[in-house]
Amino acid sequence: FDAGLSSDNRTVDFYRWTFGTEVYQSISPIISWTFDTPGQIPVTLTVVDDQGAESSETQFIEVIAKTPV
C-alpha cells in the first residue's frame, strides 16, 4: 500500500492504516500487509500531521483466497 501521494499543508507525522479491525501505524507512506481471510475488506488510511489534525479515506478491496499448490 502506498500513501505517497497524500499531502498536508503541514508536516505529515504518521500514517495509520486500518485493515478491517486491525490497525498499523507507520512513519513511512509505503507498507506491506498480508490478509488472513478472503472477502471484501475495508481499508482506511488516516494521515496525521504534526499538529494532530487528521484526514481519512476508506476503500473496499476484494481479498481472494490463495489456491493451494
Side-chain angles (χ1 to χ4, degrees):
F1 292 88
D2 187 345
L5 294 178
S6 299
S7 64
D8 191 273
N9 60 347
R10 306 218 28 111
T11 301
V12 173
D13 197 26
F14 63 89
Y15 303 87
R16 182 184 315 119
W17 295 89
T18 305
F19 301 94
T21 60
E22 298 188 53
V23 179
Y24 180 80
Q25 193 165 293
S26 174
I27 59 171
S28 172
I30 300 173
I31 66 161
S32 178
W33 189 263
T34 302
F35 295 90
D36 295 328
T37 57
Q40 192 174 54
I41 310 292
V43 177
T44 301
L45 168 63
T46 302
V47 178
V48 182
D49 72 16
D50 60 352
Q51 296 293 307
E54 55 184 65
S55 181
S56 298
E57 178 73 28
T58 300
Q59 298 284 322
F60 286 82
I61 63 168
E62 186 70 31
V63 177
I64 300 171
K66 184 177 178 181
T67 304
V69 177

